[in-house]
Amino acid sequence: MKPAGVVRKVDQLGRIVLPKSLRKRYQMNEGDPVEILVQGDHIILERYRPKCIFCGSMEEVNDFKDRYICASCLTEMTGLQENA
Ligand SMILES: [Zn+2]
């Protein structure tokens, strides 16, 4: 991790404005979901990408009834149903 060279103050509501240059660089647009992660003393902002509820994969994830499942787990589940 390296400093972005920017210091910002947290406002009354806990908000911080991300500099335009960083938003542009990391292709963050208005309304984009951002996940907040913590690692020791660090707070990390990451573009939110849905993860499979079974294996945690972020590849080929599909939305099913407000849950996310990857293509691999879906194939596995389909196989279980066929063998039942
Ligand atoms: Zn999965």
Side-chain angles (χ1 to χ4, degrees), residues 52 54-57 69-70 73:
C52 173
F54 297 107
C55 70
S57 170
I69 182 168
C70 74
C73 287

Side-chain angles (χ1 to χ4, degrees), residues 5-82:
V6 179
V7 176
R8 290 284 160 102
K9 289 186 178 179
V10 178
D11 77 5
Q12 282 181 313
L13 299 175
R15 296 177 295 199
I16 302 166
V17 174
L18 297 174
K20 190 175 183 177
S21 59
L22 285 179
R23 284 182 277 145
K24 190 175 177 184
R25 182 173 166 189
Y26 292 98
Q27 299 170 353
M28 298 170 86
N29 300 304
E30 184 180 343
D32 285 352
V34 174
E35 189 166 22
I36 301 168
L37 310 167
V38 291
Q39 186 177 53
D41 291 341
H42 301 277
I43 300 170
I44 301 163
L45 302 178
E46 199 172 272
R47 189 176 305 127
Y48 177 71
R49 291 177 57 200
K51 296 175 183 113
C52 173
I53 58 167
F54 297 107
C55 70
S57 170
M58 288 188 253
E59 303 300 320
E60 296 183 75
V61 177
N62 299 292
D63 181 353
F64 180 71
K65 296 188 177 183
D66 292 333
R67 300 280 192 271
Y68 297 103
I69 182 168
C70 74
S72 174
C73 287
L74 186 60
T75 302
E76 221 175 298
M77 281 178 68
T78 307
L80 291 174
Q81 201 166 31
E82 286 171 359

